[in-house]
Amino acid sequence: MQYGGAPGGPAFPGQTQDPLYGYFAAVAGQDGQIDADELQRCLTQSGIAGGYKPFNLETCRLMVSMLDRDMSGKMGFNEFKELWAVLNGWRQHFISFDTDRSGTVDPQELQKALTTMGFRLSPQAVNSIAKRYSTNGKITFDDYIACCVKLRALTDSFRRRDTAQQGVVNFPYDDFIQCVMSV
Amino acid sequence: MAACSYRSPGAGPGLAAGAALPGQCFCGTVDKDRSGVISDTELQQALSNGEWATMFDRENKAGVNFSEFTGVWKYITDWQNVFRTYDRDNSGMIDKNELKQALSGFGYRLSDQFHDILIRKFDRQGRGQIAFDDFIQGCIVLQRLTDIFRRYDTDQDGWIQVSYEQYLSMVFSIV
């Protein structure tokens, strides 16, 4: 593998020594960007999911769109690094709640997890989220990650519009639909 | 067929009255004789999308019973007709222009870039065009989002004011 001469090559000193770059470069094409498929492979190879099952493709699509600021449908290495750090944090979090190492948490544990992540949500809001993501009353690691990605993306889109920081936003129809569909 | 009658006054973006989408009305019409309008492959393709069970599960029991399933059958036939209407070049896929025509035919008035977003979100095959089952899912999500927007838009001016929590609850109940 040619690190030095690769297209989309090192963006900062020491990047080529970054072990993450190895995983990234192994799947990235000529453009130095990865799409959801490649991300799935990358994450699986890197073992970020730890003992848990690797992410399904839909979750990977969500992750790409979470960081896809230029709407290209792909992510570059810097975004990948950002994603990695975030995923690690979320995984640590999940582990702390999955005390029996079953690979799943129940809705109450999800609520606690979201609260400690800093999301201030009413029990009803958490309930509708938990219902959306549970299978047989439990939430798997993959679904938990999908939930966190969506929460983060939606929170970002809300915050960007809440310029007065009042916790309230006025949405016109078109913008509302676009916001939700972009997640 | 159920009509989606959200209307915003003036020339603003929104959904004109009288728009019609295949209804989610399970009146008990059962097409058990497998008339051949839907082939096995088409049905399998339509049902391969895991969202179907959620969409038709009226009682939140994480599955569909037989009578709900027969409703699915009719529903798919209706959608198949819609799809054929708008797949003007008979490619079996709906491209961006056909999608724009379909949505404006349903009465939606949406920005040009919205269609790119919709395709990106629902194009499961990654071809920049939308297959039959993805088209259905996209239209249904759009309809449900419009419905929920309309419920909050009490003065019908095409704007809603929502708190962070309301926003999250709205979205998570649909996508």
Side-chain angles (χ1 to χ4, degrees):
Chain A
M1 164 150 17
Q2 300 275 33
Y3 283 131
F12 57 87
Q15 177 171 311
T16 52
Q17 280 83 46
D18 190 333
L20 282 183
Y21 190 71
Y23 295 120
F24 184 85
V27 295
Q30 286 283 333
D31 58 359
Q33 304 262 315
I34 58 175
D35 62 19
D37 261 299
E38 290 159 340
L39 177 64
Q40 185 186 38
R41 262 185 282 146
C42 208
L43 292 174
T44 307
Q45 275 158 25
S46 69
I48 178 80
Y52 298 116
K53 273 174 53 203
F55 302 109
N56 70 41
L57 192 56
E58 190 50 42
T59 307
C60 292
R61 278 204 194 94
L62 280 174
M63 291 187 218
V64 171
S65 70
M66 174 175 84
L67 295 168
D68 188 16
R69 292 174 189 113
D70 60 1
M71 303 282 251
S72 63
K74 296 182 161 223
M75 73 168 60
F77 180 63
N78 285 331
E79 289 153 337
F80 177 69
K81 271 187 79 99
E82 193 183 330
L83 175 66
W84 180 274
V86 163
L87 282 180
N88 248 326
W90 287 339
R91 182 171 65 110
Q92 294 306 324
H93 217 74
F94 187 87
I95 287 172
S96 68
F97 286 94
D98 177 21
T99 42
D100 61 358
R101 302 305 231 133
S102 62
T104 64
V105 293
D106 63 36
Q108 289 75 23
E109 289 164 333
L110 176 70
Q111 169 153 23
K112 280 195 232 120
L114 293 177
T115 309
T116 58
M117 280 170 75
F119 288 107
R120 299 272 159 268
L121 299 165
S122 69
Q124 296 89 330
V126 179
N127 258 335
S128 49
I129 292 171
K131 191 182 287 188
R132 171 75 181 76
Y133 287 99
S134 359
T135 321
N136 298 323
K138 297 289 224 168
I139 295 131
T140 64
F141 177 61
D142 188 274
D143 285 331
Y144 166 79
I145 293 294
C147 173
C148 291
V149 169
K150 273 217 178 110
L151 263 176
R152 190 178 132 129
L154 289 171
T155 301
D156 280 350
S157 72
F158 188 90
R159 242 192 232 131
R160 259 180 276 133
R161 286 161 177 77
D162 181 16
T163 42
Q165 304 233 346
Q166 302 279 20
V168 170
V169 168
N170 290 310
F171 281 101
Y173 173 70
D174 193 89
D175 188 35
F176 173 74
I177 301 285
Q178 280 198 43
C179 245
V180 178
M181 289 295 200
S182 310
V183 170
Chain B
M1 290 208 177
C4 182
S5 56
Y6 176 78
R7 179 207 294 273
S8 68
L15 179 62
L21 287 165
Q24 287 178 309
C25 161
F26 300 99
C27 316
T29 311
V30 172
D31 185 15
K32 283 186 208 161
D33 64 359
R34 296 199 175 219
S35 57
V37 172
I38 303 174
S39 70
D40 284 351
T41 4
E42 282 168 332
L43 179 61
Q44 184 185 38
Q45 190 196 16
L47 296 179
S48 68
N49 176 343
E51 296 294 308
W52 286 110
T54 322
M55 281 194 304
F56 289 91
D57 176 15
R58 304 249 145 206
E59 293 151 24
N60 274 328
K61 54 192 182 309
V64 295
N65 60 29
F66 181 68
S67 80
E68 288 162 340
F69 182 78
T70 55
V72 173
W73 199 285
K74 174 187 188 317
Y75 188 60
I76 291 176
T77 323
D78 290 345
W79 272 107
Q80 200 180 35
N81 292 331
V82 171
F83 188 86
R84 285 205 181 117
T85 304
Y86 289 102
D87 177 22
R88 298 196 196 280
D89 59 4
N90 279 321
S91 63
M93 302 281 278
I94 291 224
D95 63 30
K96 181 179 172 183
N97 277 328
E98 291 165 339
L99 181 65
K100 282 167 87 166
Q101 279 162 30
L103 295 184
S104 85
F106 295 154
Y108 291 101
R109 290 196 289 280
L110 295 155
S111 65
D112 188 76
Q113 81 189 50
F114 170 79
H115 301 90
D116 292 309
I117 293 172
L118 194 68
I119 290 178
R120 183 170 304 128
K121 182 161 178 68
F122 290 99
D123 169 28
R124 229 164 277 272
Q125 298 187 19
R127 286 152 65 170
Q129 306 202 8
I130 302 194
F132 176 51
D133 56 348
D134 297 331
F135 171 71
I136 297 176
Q137 207 200 349
C139 291
I140 289 171
V141 170
L142 180 57
Q143 180 184 26
R144 291 170 78 185
L145 285 172
T146 302
D147 281 349
I148 203 167
F149 185 92
R150 179 183 42 175
R151 254 183 276 145
Y152 278 77
D153 184 14
T154 42
D155 61 359
Q156 300 260 317
D157 66 349
W159 285 77
I160 59 172
Q161 184 180 78
V162 288
S163 70
Y164 173 63
E165 280 239 356
Q166 284 172 319
Y167 178 61
L168 291 184
S169 300
M170 284 166 93
V171 177
F172 274 101
S173 67
I174 292 170
V175 293

